[in-house]
């Protein structure tokens, strides 16, 4: 990551261009006009530093590309796991995967939630810096430039699992083959004989959601079927959005005979909408989900879905972040993609006559 040029702040004695060499804490303290213990407090995320001083020191740390040496970076036996939302069975599968790796390594897991924001705030970053965990796994989230610089300067590695957007070339990430999953789900419905197939997407700002819908479109185009924009409804990956979008689709004069839902929770909302309108699954409507949460096997009828190996993805992310923390020279950005697979159950069948 290219360090951002620090802003000029009154009282800051910094050169016009950051020198190429690294600097010691004493040199950074001298240039910032503070004591070395104050720089150390900033590095350790201590709260007893004036905001202006903290900003000035952080800017110098970024400008010099400062990293704590491994010997300095005494770590707590923790892995930080950060969700943008922590409220569903999906999250439990991810927690299980990270816990599996942490347990084997003798570590504990600290859970955080960013209340729906895709980037945790500065307060969270300061808390992580103070905890000094072995690493950070961010789920459907990311870090802004200042957050990345803060963790990098403390030698705290981080990995993004299922990144919401493009994480950047310098950010290690773990994901799944979402496009192929959308393709497989829709192709299955086409092979059953469906020609009018709807889709309920996840949030359009999320890369995984867009990839699944792109796979859906590709399957229709490959089969020579039109992709009707009226049959694609946006969702939020929550049950209620599947219910609302389902009602909209199923009340169309020429309703779809099958729907690909962006995740299992939305598929269950679609189940509810179909029951409310007196439609049978799969007799009147075929449904495919995405994720293969445990509930997909229990619901009636059991849900055909695309299995996303959530636990394995979380294990891979946790192992990767620990590997990065053990390397004196961490490798450049690593992108890991695990395969999705279609699991056929009882919610799909031939279209009604």
């Amino acid at each position: 990551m290219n360090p951002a040029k620090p802003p000029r702040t009154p009282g800051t004695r910094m050169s016009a261009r950051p020198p190429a060499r690294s600097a010691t804490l004493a040199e950074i303290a001298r240039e910032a006009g503070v004591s070395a213990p104050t720089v150390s407090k900033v590095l350790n995320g201590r709260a007893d530093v004036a905001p202006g001083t903290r900003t000035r020191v952080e800017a110098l740390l970024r400008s010099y590309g400062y990293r704590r040496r491994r010997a300095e970076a005494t770590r707590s036996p923790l892995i930080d796991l950060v969700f943008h939302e922590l409220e569903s069975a999906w999250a439990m599968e991810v927690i299980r995967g990270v816990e599996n790796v942490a347990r084997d390594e003798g570590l504990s897991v600290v859970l955080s939630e960013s209340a729906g924001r895709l980037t945790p705030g500065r307060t969270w970053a300061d808390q992580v810096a103070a905890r000094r965990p072995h690493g950070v796994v961010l789920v459907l989230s990311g870090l802004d430039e200042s957050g990345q610089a803060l963790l990098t300067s403390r030698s705290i590695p981080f990995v993004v699992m299922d990144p919401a957007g493009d994480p950047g070339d310098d950010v290690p990430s773990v994901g799944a083959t979402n496009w192929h999953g959308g393709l497989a789900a829709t192709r299955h419905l086409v092979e059953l004989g469906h020609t009018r197939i709807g889709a309920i997407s996840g949030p359009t700002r999320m890369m995984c959601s867009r990839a699944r819908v792109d796979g859906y479109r590709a399957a229709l185009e490959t089969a020579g079927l039109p992709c009707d924009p009226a049959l694609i409804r946006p969702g939020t990956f929550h049950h209620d959005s599947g219910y609302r979008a389902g009602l909209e689709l199923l009340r169309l004069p020429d309703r779809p005979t099958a729907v690909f839902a962006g995740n299992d929770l939305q598929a269950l909302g679609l189940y509810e909408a179909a029951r409310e309108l007196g439609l049978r699954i799969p007799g009147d409507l075929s449904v495919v989900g995405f994720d293969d949460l445990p509930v997909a096997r229990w619901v009636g009828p059991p849900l055909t879905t695309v299995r996303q190996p959530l636990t394995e993805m979380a294990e891979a992310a946790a192992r990767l972040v620990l590997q990065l923390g053990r390397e004196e020279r961490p490798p450049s950005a690593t992108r890991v993609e695990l395969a999705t697979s279609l699991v056929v159950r009882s919610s799909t069948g031939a279209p009604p006559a």
Side-chain angles (χ1 to χ4, degrees):
M1 179 180 65
N2 293 327
K5 184 176 180 180
R8 288 189 175 278
T9 307
T12 302
R13 300 194 301 274
M14 64 176 69
S15 57
R17 180 177 301 173
R21 66 176 180 82
S22 61
T24 65
L25 286 187
E27 289 171 325
I28 290 174
R30 186 164 54 253
E31 190 163 345
V34 299
S35 66
T38 298
V39 176
S40 181
K41 286 181 179 180
V42 173
L43 275 170
N44 290 317
R46 293 272 296 275
D48 53 340
V49 179
T53 300
R54 180 185 299 278
T55 299
R56 193 160 69 249
V57 172
E58 289 284 8
L60 281 166
L61 290 169
R62 286 197 299 273
S63 73
Y64 280 105
Y66 181 83
R67 281 178 178 266
R68 297 183 70 176
R69 293 189 300 272
R70 299 298 180 197
E72 294 178 279
T74 304
R75 296 188 179 95
S76 301
L78 304 171
I79 296 176
D80 263 73
L81 176 58
V82 188
F83 290 88
H84 85 296
E85 290 179 340
L86 183 57
E87 59 177 34
S88 72
W90 190 95
M92 293 305 299
E93 297 299 302
V94 175
I95 293 170
R96 181 176 294 112
V98 175
E99 283 278 8
N100 288 345
V101 174
R103 187 186 313 113
D104 290 344
E105 297 287 339
L107 304 175
S108 299
V109 178
V110 177
L111 290 178
S112 304
E113 184 192 50
S114 56
R117 299 189 306 271
L118 296 183
T119 303
R122 177 56 192 252
T123 300
W124 169 85
D126 286 338
Q127 291 170 346
V128 172
R131 280 196 291 271
R132 299 191 300 278
H134 275 62
V136 177
V137 176
L138 300 110
V139 184
L140 283 174
S141 300
L143 291 174
D144 57 21
E145 187 175 333
S146 64
Q148 290 187 30
L150 181 66
L151 297 190
T152 299
S153 69
R154 275 65 167 184
S155 291
I156 300 174
F158 55 91
V159 170
V160 180
M161 177 183 155
D162 221 355
D166 181 4
D169 293 336
D170 56 348
V171 176
S173 62
V174 175
T177 54
N178 289 290
W179 182 89
H180 185 270
L183 178 80
T186 311
R187 180 182 289 161
H188 169 66
L189 295 171
V190 170
E191 290 173 348
L192 289 172
H194 295 274
T195 58
R196 192 157 175 80
I197 302 170
I200 303 174
S201 76
T204 55
R205 62 182 176 169
M206 291 188 178
M207 192 164 60
C208 62
S209 172
R210 296 196 302 271
R212 292 170 196 178
V213 175
D214 286 345
Y216 154 86
R217 290 193 182 99
L220 294 179
E221 292 169 3
T222 301
L225 296 174
C227 184
D228 185 350
L231 295 184
I232 303 175
R233 299 300 166 109
T236 63
F237 281 155
H238 294 295
H239 176 280
D240 58 348
S241 74
Y243 169 74
R244 289 193 303 269
L247 287 177
E248 292 173 5
L249 287 171
L250 299 180
R251 283 172 172 163
L252 291 173
D254 186 11
R255 66 172 179 81
T257 60
V259 175
F260 166 48
N263 74 343
D264 289 349
L265 295 180
Q266 291 185 148
L268 297 182
L270 178 60
Y271 268 43
E272 184 178 346
R275 282 195 299 270
E276 187 172 307
L277 297 177
L279 299 176
R280 296 166 301 130
I281 298 173
D284 301 310
L285 176 71
S286 288
V287 178
V288 181
F290 201 109
D291 283 336
D292 195 25
L293 299 176
V295 69
R297 301 189 296 273
W298 308 331
V299 71
L303 178 65
T304 295
T305 187
V306 176
R307 182 176 186 272
Q308 181 176 209
L310 294 171
T311 301
E312 293 90 337
M313 289 164 62
E315 289 173 345
R319 284 193 293 266
L320 178 57
V321 83
L322 294 178
Q323 175 194 345
L324 293 172
R326 290 168 182 150
E327 295 287 342
E328 286 298 326
R329 292 181 177 274
S332 57
T334 302
R335 171 66 179 174
V336 177
E337 279 203 343
L338 276 65
T340 55
S341 58
L342 182 68
V343 181
V344 178
R345 297 194 179 100
S346 305
S347 66
T348 51

